[in-house]
Amino acid sequence: KAGVTQTPRYLIKTRGQQVTLSCSPISGHRSVSWYQQTPGQGLQFLFEYFSETQRNKGNFPGRFSGRQFSNSRSEMNVSTLELGDSALYLCASSLTGGSGANVLTFGAGSRLTVL
Amino acid sequence: GEDVEQSLFLSVREGDSSVINCTYTDSSSTYLYWYKQEPGAGLQLLTYIFSNMDMKQDQRLTVLLNKKDKHLSLRIADTQTGDSAIYFCAESIDNQGGKLIFGQGTELSVKP
């Protein structure tokens, strides 16, 4: 069974640009969550999508957005990049993300560097 | 509010037991999790415990939960050099779906 696949693994952008990251969940998983990991702030929840709808949202500015497609694949977009957006962006999928233990399976992450 | 705290570093000798501690503040936590992150990799789920349980054992891993004190610990028996990694505790809140609140992570260093 393939795991959670994130692309690209590494990318470098300059301030003001925008970036799109992609996440393919485990087959059959309908919930996809995104997290930002930085040395200073640690792991912070960005948002969660389930059945193409944003179900939960963290405390990030509107420059951070996402979407989910009918095949459960998800993308996140960051517009007008700032130096502080440099981070490892982790995607995680789960079956439903509803009640019960929320067993998230994480991808390897997309490491974004903003110059 | 939601907050999860962990000590940042732990160093042990190979073969010893490691105990990683975590405290959380939200009393509506439903499940508590332990994840492991190796360099350059994502997070790997090690184990989780329902908030109404006191203890869970899974091979070399033992999780203890003191709900009254909101204290969670992960004990790794017979620690090996391959256990060197960053360990995160996390909590989920009822009806918050895929949102987990993570601690800062404890870097475990295992010396031969």
Side-chain angles (χ1 to χ4, degrees), chain A residues 9 31 33 35 37 43 45 48 55-56 88 90 97-104 106-108, chain B residues 31 33 35 37 40-45 48 88 92 94-100 102-104:
Chain A
R9 288 292 314 278
S31 168
S33 303
Y35 289 81
Q37 186 176 25
L43 278 154
F45 173 76
E48 180 204 7
R55 185 158 68 174
N56 275 299
L88 180 66
L90 292 163
S99 58
N102 194 9
V103 179
L104 300 183
F106 281 82
Chain B
Y31 287 87
Y33 307 79
Y35 281 86
Q37 186 177 35
L43 275 68
Q44 173 196 352
L45 177 68
Y48 62 90
F88 293 91
S92 61
D94 197 20
N95 298 322
Q96 293 278 322
K99 178 181 179 181
L100 297 185
F102 284 89
Q104 314 95 301

Side-chain angles (χ1 to χ4, degrees), chain B residues 1 3 9 15-16 22 34-36 67 69 72-73 98 101 103:
Chain B
D3 196 19
F9 300 100
D16 288 349
C22 171
W34 284 103
Y35 281 86
K36 176 183 179 182
K67 192 171 182 179
D69 294 339
L72 180 74
S73 68
I101 310 299

Side-chain angles (χ1 to χ4, degrees), chain A residues 85-107:
Chain A
D85 297 333
S86 294
L88 180 66
Y89 290 88
L90 292 163
C91 163
S93 74
S94 64
L95 275 171
T96 62
S99 58
N102 194 9
V103 179
L104 300 183
T105 302
F106 281 82

Side-chain angles (χ1 to χ4, degrees), chain B residues 37-54:
Chain B
Q37 186 177 35
E38 295 180 85
L43 275 68
Q44 173 196 352
L45 177 68
L46 293 175
T47 186
Y48 62 90
I49 188 169
F50 183 48
S51 58
N52 280 347
M53 294 173 62
D54 300 324

Side-chain angles (χ1 to χ4, degrees), chain A residues 70-83:
Chain A
S70 58
N71 62 357
S72 294
R73 189 177 71 86
S74 177
E75 288 181 347
M76 68 162 282
N77 183 277
V78 188
S79 62
T80 320
L81 283 165
E82 300 177 359
L83 295 179

